[in-house]
Amino acid sequence: GRDMARLTRDEIIQILEDAGCTTAFIDQYLETLDEGTTKEQLRLLIGQRCRQLECVHTEQKKLDCIDYLRYQLQKEQEQKKK
């Protein structure tokens, strides 16, 4: 019988969309679903994960800049109180 743990094509598309994948990536992934191997699917997902993690790091750096500015302003504020 059919393995119940196996995701449907629609479920896979939904998961990839929820993950913020582009239409181009999803199309590429679906091609490997039809004609590729599990190894190829994993390679695509790992590549996508790396790109998204890089974005997380970029956003973290931006937050660090904002936090640094906030810290400087608070420090200034504290010195004015003295």
Side-chain angles (χ1 to χ4, degrees), residues 1-46:
R2 186 168 169 257
D3 181 7
M4 292 304 290
R6 196 172 167 86
L7 295 167
T8 67
R9 195 178 181 86
D10 286 345
E11 287 171 329
I12 290 168
I13 291 168
Q14 187 60 61
I15 290 166
L16 293 174
E17 284 175 352
D18 290 348
C21 297
T22 62
T23 306
F25 177 86
I26 294 172
D27 290 345
Q28 190 181 11
Y29 187 84
L30 293 176
E31 271 179 38
T32 67
L33 209 56
D34 297 333
E35 300 157 18
T37 61
T38 304
K39 191 175 177 180
E40 180 69 8
Q41 291 165 32
L42 281 169
R43 189 187 68 73
L44 283 173
L45 290 175
I46 289 166

Side-chain angles (χ1 to χ4, degrees), residues 59-75:
E59 293 303 314
Q60 183 61 55
K61 286 176 189 161
K62 292 176 187 176
L63 287 173
D64 290 345
C65 291
I66 289 170
D67 288 343
Y68 176 73
L69 194 54
R70 281 180 43 219
Y71 166 76
Q72 290 298 329
L73 284 169
Q74 286 167 340
K75 214 167 71 171

Side-chain angles (χ1 to χ4, degrees), residues 25 42-58:
F25 177 86
L42 281 169
R43 189 187 68 73
L44 283 173
L45 290 175
I46 289 166
Q48 180 66 22
R49 188 179 195 287
C50 286
R51 283 187 295 279
Q52 288 187 223
L53 191 56
E54 189 54 45
C55 290
V56 169
H57 291 157
T58 301

